[in-house]
Amino acid sequence: MGAIAVVLVLGGLIFFHELGHFLVARLFGIGVKAFALGFGPKIFSFKSGMTEYRLCAVPLGGYVMLAGESPDQEEEPAIPKPLLFNLRPVWQRMCVVAAGPVFNFLLAWGIYWVLFATQGQMGLAPTIGQILPESPAQRAGFQPGDSVLTVNGRSITFWEDLTDLVQGSEGNPLRMELKRGKDRLTINVIPELRERKNIFGESVRAPMLGIVAAKEIITLELSGAESFKLSGKETWRAIVNMVTALVKMIERVVPADSIGGPILIAQLINREAEEGIVGLLALAAALSANLGFVNLLPIPVLDGGHLVIFGIEAATRKPLSVRARAAAMRVGIAMLAALMLFATYNDLRRLFK
């Protein structure tokens, strides 16, 4: 079951990515010579028009082969010039390249939408489970079991809503409405700046009350429109988390040995598959957003690298030379190969630790 889940999830994400390139190319009337899911020897293939559709032996990849993708149009003598990719306006080429990552973002959005619409929004209830000693909450009279209803008049649904408002208070007084048993009461409290660890292990100073959640999970039912809006926010959060993690790696806050590769991804998929379909779909959505972001990095060979090259062409009004593009591709391949080897080394080290 685990191996099937890995193939289906990764194969599905890659298929949707390549489908974006394919559909936008066809929208502009650009010839597509091949649409392949997987790499290596062909297991199955058929041809429709000028496009050969291939299913290959290694499912962890895929590609779309465009007519005239090579800068040297002499390589495509039998194909009419209007179908050649390299003869199209630069904005069309940029759209075709960007379509892959965009489709991954749309897939993530769609998966989250289905999950929120069918499962609702789950989160920690805003119920206090513990009061830390010598804290603002203890001095103000909070008690375990109190449920937070509002903060400065703003309704609280989940514990995350509460922490966001407290940490955004900048230490200013907060007027909090609580439910204690059958009673409602209002307590004024001033958060204190205290040190805490963020998700990257950094020590940061932030306003805190000194309360701990009761770890009670609640579910909020959502309409289709609410689910659509929230799924967009969740997709954006996944992208922002990737950007933040990349910045923290560059700053050396996050150690390089935390980088994971295909083995780690397969382990995560296998674990979620054992837990159930909901967790597996949530992971697939996050992976799809991450795949879209990674492909937009300005590295030659990746979509982001191609966008940079086409952007230079748009700014200078002339394409990069074939020699310069070939050199950039060699550098990109070397960078990706080194990164993949390093990530796989980390995976193996964790596996046999």
Side-chain angles (χ1 to χ4, degrees):
M1 178 61 185
I4 295 175
V6 171
V7 171
L8 288 178
V9 170
L10 292 183
L13 301 186
I14 294 166
F15 170 78
F16 217 77
H17 179 96
E18 299 302 334
L19 183 65
H21 295 311
F22 174 80
L23 290 179
V24 175
R26 293 294 298 268
L27 178 66
F28 289 135
I30 297 170
V32 180
K33 295 194 294 183
F35 183 115
L37 182 60
F39 288 114
K42 289 187 290 185
I43 298 175
F44 171 77
S45 69
F46 68 92
K47 196 164 186 178
S48 177
M50 71 175 295
T51 306
E52 181 183 13
Y53 298 88
R54 305 169 182 171
L55 179 63
C56 300
V58 183
L60 306 180
Y63 58 91
V64 169
M65 188 182 299
L66 302 175
E69 196 169 358
S70 168
D72 184 5
Q73 67 185 69
E74 296 299 325
E75 296 180 3
E76 307 287 348
I79 299 177
K81 287 186 177 182
L83 298 180
L84 298 181
F85 175 76
N86 62 311
L87 296 184
R88 288 308 182 91
V90 67
W91 69 269
Q92 290 189 7
R93 284 177 276 153
M94 293 180 78
C95 286
V96 172
V97 170
V102 169
F103 264 54
N104 278 127
F105 297 143
L106 293 176
L107 177 61
W109 195 327
I111 294 174
Y112 281 132
W113 188 10
V114 170
L115 288 175
F116 286 132
T118 59
Q119 304 296 317
Q121 183 183 8
M122 299 177 65
L124 282 175
T127 303
I128 300 172
Q130 181 184 353
I131 308 293
L132 301 182
E134 303 299 324
S135 66
Q138 185 186 56
R139 292 191 292 271
F142 287 78
Q143 294 182 12
D146 288 348
S147 293
V148 181
L149 302 177
T150 67
V151 176
N152 289 345
R154 296 183 62 176
S155 179
I156 301 298
T157 303
F158 297 106
W159 186 265
E160 185 181 10
D161 303 329
L162 171 61
T163 57
D164 287 346
L165 288 173
V166 171
Q167 292 177 14
S169 69
E170 299 180 349
N172 294 317
L174 299 174
R175 187 173 183 271
M176 301 177 63
E177 184 182 1
L178 310 176
K179 182 179 180 182
R180 182 177 294 169
K182 295 182 180 180
D183 300 324
R184 291 193 176 207
L185 61 155
T186 300
I187 294 180
N188 295 313
V189 61
I190 301 176
E192 286 183 355
L193 288 175
R194 295 190 176 187
E195 282 201 356
R196 66 177 182 86
K197 296 286 187 182
N198 64 16
I199 60 173
F200 300 105
E202 296 175 289
S203 293
V204 295
R205 289 180 63 80
M208 299 181 68
L209 296 180
I211 55 178
V212 180
K215 302 192 184 307
E216 174 189 342
I217 302 296
I218 59 173
T219 302
L220 177 66
E221 291 188 4
L222 302 171
S223 67
E226 290 171 332
S227 300
F228 183 80
K229 182 178 179 180
L230 185 60
S231 61
K233 290 182 178 179
E234 198 65 26
T235 302
W236 179 249
R237 182 189 302 192
I239 297 169
V240 170
N241 287 341
M242 277 292 292
V243 174
T244 304
L246 179 62
V247 171
K248 295 299 181 183
M249 284 183 185
I250 294 172
E251 294 175 346
R252 304 187 70 178
V253 172
V254 176
D257 59 9
S258 65
I259 296 174
I263 296 176
L264 176 61
I265 294 173
Q267 289 175 323
L268 292 174
I269 294 173
N270 183 60
R271 185 184 68 190
E272 293 300 334
E274 292 176 352
E275 295 294 326
I277 187 64
V278 172
L280 183 61
L281 287 174
L283 176 62
L287 289 175
S288 187
N290 291 347
L291 179 61
F293 168 75
V294 168
N295 269 278
L296 285 177
L297 293 176
I299 299 174
V301 179
L302 294 181
D303 295 328
H306 289 294
L307 289 174
V308 170
I309 290 173
F310 293 147
I312 293 172
E313 179 180 342
T316 61
R317 298 186 180 277
K318 63 178 182 179
L320 287 179
S321 68
V322 174
R323 185 174 181 180
R325 291 186 61 175
M329 292 302 126
R330 286 195 293 270
V331 171
I333 291 171
M335 291 174 65
L336 286 182
L339 180 60
M340 184 60 68
L341 287 172
F342 181 68
T344 303
Y345 167 76
N346 284 341
D347 288 348
L348 294 172
R349 186 177 54 81
R350 280 189 291 264
L351 192 62
F352 296 105
K353 191 172 181 179

